[in-house]
Amino acid sequence: MTTIYMVRHAESPYMDGSERTRGLSVEGKKKARQAADLLVNEGINLIVSSPYARAKLTVEGLAHKLNLDIIEIEDLRERHFADDDYKISEEEFVPAVNRMFEDPSYALPGGESNLVCQNRAVAALKTLLIEHNGSKIAIGTHGNVMTLMIGYFDSSFGFDFLMQTDKPDVYKLEFEGLELKAVTRLWQTLRFDDKDAVK
């Protein structure tokens, strides 16, 4: 069995034009430390991440605790929503995401469709599963691309799943070869122990 720990990034203040560089809020940094505490005894032996700062910063504490480097994988980046000059309001954002899940080939101007994003991210994930068979791997990730990766193996993970995830959030995926056998939400377990840790 190969175990993948999907670690969705902690709270990160949104700023136009800073997809790659924006970091974590004060609360996000606190929750990232809690995520590290949650995972430190899982036996993780490899940490990879989206190249975006908020994803790397969320697994940075875990990397320090385990004395592991964080390997950046470009194809694990968040889905590119649209050209920089295409503006979308907060009210329009969620309906646009929903449409992308209803029609995987739909994309905003200059952006990636679900299908395009899923294909490149799943290819990277499959490479990890093949090259590190039997390992325990933490992945610093994002809500959309995480949902698309899990959804490739289990179609019940879609828009509704994405909408109920937290920042951060942690999911344990157990694979036998390239077959997904089980998905367990670990951050939910933490919620019962310390409600203030999540909300």
Side-chain angles (χ1 to χ4, degrees):
M1 299 291 284
T2 305
T3 307
I4 301 288
Y5 297 86
M6 294 280 188
V7 184
R8 187 188 186 189
H9 69 78
E11 184 181 84
S12 173
Y14 179 77
M15 292 175 287
D16 282 341
S18 63
E19 269 298 276
R20 284 186 174 268
T21 58
R22 60 186 169 96
L24 303 179
S25 66
V26 172
E27 184 67 10
K29 292 175 183 176
K30 172 187 171 185
K31 300 279 181 66
R33 289 192 294 270
Q34 292 170 340
D37 291 340
L38 180 67
L39 293 173
V40 69
N41 294 318
E42 288 288 318
I44 291 166
N45 44 35
L46 181 67
I47 300 178
V48 302
S49 178
S50 155
Y52 291 7
R54 59 192 183 277
K56 289 190 295 180
L57 290 169
T58 303
V59 294
E60 188 176 65
L62 178 64
H64 286 168
K65 286 176 179 288
L66 298 177
N67 196 29
L68 294 172
D69 292 328
I70 299 172
I71 300 169
E72 291 183 25
I73 298 179
E74 181 66 27
D75 281 343
L76 294 178
R77 67 191 181 278
E78 181 61 300
R79 182 243 304 282
H80 180 61
F81 281 93
D83 280 333
D84 290 341
D85 57 358
Y86 181 85
K87 302 301 179 188
I88 185 168
S89 68
E90 287 187 25
E91 294 76 19
E92 296 170 317
F93 181 78
V94 171
V97 173
N98 188 24
R99 182 175 174 186
M100 291 173 186
F101 277 90
E102 290 175 346
D103 178 3
S105 63
Y106 171 73
L108 294 172
E112 288 182 301
S113 66
N114 271 13
L115 193 58
V116 168
C117 178
Q118 185 182 62
N119 283 344
R120 55 126 164 122
V122 168
L125 177 57
K126 284 183 175 179
T127 297
L128 287 170
L129 291 169
I130 293 166
E131 293 183 354
H132 301 278
N133 184 47
S135 297
K136 294 189 172 186
I137 306 166
I139 299 179
T141 188
H142 308 265
N144 269 267
V145 71
M146 176 181 76
T147 301
L148 292 170
M149 284 190 284
I150 301 174
Y152 174 85
F153 297 96
D154 183 343
S155 62
S156 69
F157 289 83
F159 177 77
D160 291 340
F161 166 76
L162 171 61
M163 288 297 102
Q164 59 82 45
T165 57
D166 287 321
K167 294 180 183 178
D169 217 330
V170 182
Y171 289 84
K172 179 181 179 180
L173 282 61
E174 295 173 87
F175 285 88
E176 188 174 291
L178 295 178
E179 184 179 353
L180 179 61
K181 293 294 190 179
V183 179
T184 307
R185 188 182 195 183
L186 300 186
W187 192 250
Q188 188 176 34
T189 303
L190 179 64
R191 177 180 298 166
F192 293 121
D193 295 334
D194 178 7
K195 292 182 181 179
D196 292 333
V198 176
K199 294 295 184 187

